[in-house]
Amino acid sequence: MVLGVVQEVRAERAVMALSTMSVPTAGDVRDGEERSLPAAGVMPGDLAW
């Protein structure tokens, strides 16, 4: 039983670490300048690909 709890806690930590590493990015043109940024940072009026 204790071993199962330890494994579950480790698995949850691993999933959380992977989810923070896989932030979606977007190519973006803002003010005529191309850049790559987190998808959450795309603003209305930006050109994204």
Side-chain angles (χ1 to χ4, degrees), residues 18-42:
L18 288 172
S19 67
T20 60
M21 290 173 34
S22 64
V23 176
T25 60
D28 184 69
V29 177
R30 186 181 297 168
D31 298 327
E33 184 179 323
E34 292 184 19
R35 62 181 128 197
S36 179
L37 65 144
V42 176

Side-chain angles (χ1 to χ4, degrees), residues 7-23:
Q7 287 178 332
E8 186 174 340
V9 169
R10 286 183 180 172
E12 287 177 12
R13 287 181 183 167
V15 168
M16 290 183 70
L18 288 172
S19 67
T20 60
M21 290 173 34
S22 64
V23 176

